[in-house]
Amino acid sequence: MSKSSEISRFESRFNGDVIEIAAVTGASGSSAGRAGKDIMWTASIDLIAWKNLCGNEPVVKEDIRLQWMADDEEWGKTRNILGKNTIIRLHVRKSEKSMMLVKILDNTYRDEELEVILQDSMKPVFYNDEVLGEFELDKTVKLFEKKIIWAGERPAIFNKNGFRPFFRIKVFQVDYRKNSFQICKI
């Protein structure tokens, strides 16, 4: 597939209206991937909250992916432009579950309302298990982690939605921004 057809296919997933937003980036930072014989990378960064700057609309708190296309050279140049845990101002096009980056307007934008959300998102989140003790959320991968002594060693336990570590413990679903947990036994 040619570069232009990959870009056209990507852009067709988003509506044509360009909007100006301010957004809070997540803890993971930028990443990119490409499939098969594709020439272009689909680059992305997670957003945890955003607001339309052209209207008097409230902040939308949701995990949504901001995506853009880049060839090898462009990805090398743009991979660190959008940092994790920052507030940014952008032109984007929306789809139902993601946004397409049109233009970066300010990668160090200031907004009091979004700053509160950013600061809250960087606070540590813990889960306390009555048997294994306290787990801390690694927000970059959205997994709770705990180091324990097991058979005289210190293995790490990672725990999320059905992932089974090397021995049986409780698994859970979490919306760490709302501090809500759903516990279930495995």
Side-chain angles (χ1 to χ4, degrees):
M1 188 176 290
S2 72
K3 184 176 178 176
S4 61
S5 61
E6 286 180 40
I7 292 170
S8 294
R9 184 183 68 201
F10 173 76
E11 290 180 352
S12 71
R13 297 178 14 221
F14 303 90
N15 76 39
D17 299 329
V18 175
I19 60 172
E20 184 175 334
I21 68 165
V24 180
T25 61
S28 298
S30 298
S31 62
R34 65 179 166 196
K37 296 181 182 183
D38 286 352
I39 299 166
M40 303 294 289
W41 292 92
T42 301
S44 66
I45 190 166
D46 289 335
L47 304 178
I48 61 169
W50 64 277
K51 68 179 180 181
N52 187 337
L53 295 176
C54 297
N56 198 13
E57 300 174 28
V59 170
V60 178
K61 293 182 186 179
E62 67 177 341
D63 290 331
I64 191 165
R65 188 160 294 252
L66 176 67
Q67 300 178 310
W68 64 97
M69 298 295 287
D71 61 23
D72 290 334
E73 184 179 341
E74 291 166 327
W75 174 235
K77 291 177 183 176
T78 62
R79 70 183 321 143
N80 295 317
I81 288 177
L82 297 176
K84 63 183 179 179
N85 296 321
T86 59
I87 300 172
I88 54 180
R89 187 169 61 100
L90 313 163
H91 279 161
V92 299
R93 290 171 42 194
K94 285 191 74 237
S95 74
E96 192 173 316
K97 298 187 187 240
S98 62
M99 294 183 184
M100 183 185 94
L101 175 63
V102 175
K103 184 176 184 179
I104 300 169
L105 302 172
D106 188 346
N107 62 357
T108 59
Y109 189 67
R110 298 286 169 234
D111 181 282
E112 289 180 24
E113 191 175 19
L114 293 176
E115 184 66 32
V116 170
I117 293 169
L118 173 61
Q119 293 306 316
D120 189 51
S121 76
M122 294 193 309
K123 292 177 184 174
V125 175
F126 299 96
Y127 166 74
N128 192 38
D129 180 87
E130 67 263 3
V131 176
L132 296 174
E134 188 174 76
F135 287 73
E136 184 172 0
L137 181 64
D138 179 345
K139 294 179 184 178
T140 61
V141 290
K142 298 178 184 164
L143 296 174
F144 281 89
E145 177 182 54
K146 176 180 179 74
K147 296 202 186 292
I148 63 167
I149 301 295
W150 181 264
E153 310 243 345
R154 291 188 66 98
I157 299 172
F158 299 93
N159 191 353
K160 181 185 177 183
N161 299 341
F163 175 78
R164 291 179 182 234
F166 48 87
F167 64 95
R168 295 174 67 89
I169 62 174
K170 293 180 182 176
V171 297
F172 44 89
Q173 297 175 335
V174 61
D175 182 339
Y176 59 88
R177 285 176 288 144
K178 293 180 182 171
N179 238 3
S180 68
F181 301 89
Q182 181 178 9
I183 310 298
C184 59
K185 294 236 185 203
I186 60 170

